Amino acid sequence: MQAFVAIGANLGDARAAVTAAMDAIGTIERTVVTARSSLYRSAPVDATGPDFINAVVAVRTGLTAEAFLAELHLLEEQAGRERPFPNAPRTLDLDLLMHGNAIKDTPALALPHPRMRDRAFVLKPLAEIAPDKVPRAALARVSSQVIERIRD
């Protein structure tokens, strides 16, 4: 099953955390990272703290959406993620954007991710690795959000 994961961090060495998460996602059982976006810097949206470093990865996974999400939550915990209040700054944030063509809306999981089309920090890196998943109109709607591709 093809899936996409948005990765973000804005505490500590955010760049290192995002890069490490890209590698760690590939260690999840029955999961292989098939594409990685560039890293991007963006101001917090509906959150506080310093700028975020963001990326998106594409994977192939044999796990169900729920099992894959549970593994992503474990990676967040291992990275020291705390949730003291909604949208708090974070050492690592992993959002399951899509899992195949699944459409779900449960208290634990909504697919596709309900706010992904409102966020340049998701759409720009996703469009880089999977342009067929991001309509031009969606990119146009978020064009006023400041996001910068990090060039090495």
Side-chain angles (χ1 to χ4, degrees), residues 9 27 29 38-39 53 62 70 78-79 98 103 125 129-130 134 139-140 149:
T27 68
E29 68 173 307
S38 301
L39 300 180
I53 303 299
Q78 291 167 359
M98 292 179 267
I103 299 173
I129 63 171
V134 183
L139 283 173
R149 184 174 173 188

Side-chain angles (χ1 to χ4, degrees), residues 136-147:
R136 286 186 191 270
L139 283 173
R141 280 193 303 276
V142 299
S143 63
S144 65
Q145 295 176 23
V146 178
I147 181 168

Side-chain angles (χ1 to χ4, degrees), residues 111-139:
L111 290 172
H113 191 285
R115 293 173 305 282
M116 67 182 271
R117 300 238 184 257
D118 301 327
R119 296 174 168 172
F121 65 82
V122 172
L123 294 180
K124 290 262 187 162
L126 179 59
E128 180 185 332
I129 63 171
D132 60 311
K133 302 291 184 189
V134 183
R136 286 186 191 270
L139 283 173

Side-chain angles (χ1 to χ4, degrees), residues 38-127:
S38 301
L39 300 180
Y40 291 80
R41 179 181 319 280
S42 65
V45 175
D46 298 329
T48 60
D51 285 353
F52 275 84
I53 303 299
N54 301 99
V56 170
V57 294
V59 303
R60 287 255 171 233
T61 185
L63 299 178
T64 65
E66 292 80 4
F68 188 57
L69 181 63
E71 293 293 327
L72 295 176
H73 286 165
L74 283 174
L75 292 177
E76 288 179 337
E77 288 175 26
Q78 291 167 359
R81 170 82 189 259
E82 295 179 358
R83 300 172 192 265
F85 54 89
N87 300 320
R90 52 209 76 151
T91 54
L92 184 62
D93 186 26
L94 301 173
D95 288 333
L96 182 55
L97 302 175
M98 292 179 267
H99 189 273
N101 294 320
I103 299 173
K104 295 182 180 275
D105 190 8
T106 69
L109 178 62
L111 290 172
H113 191 285
R115 293 173 305 282
M116 67 182 271
R117 300 238 184 257
D118 301 327
R119 296 174 168 172
F121 65 82
V122 172
L123 294 180
K124 290 262 187 162
L126 179 59

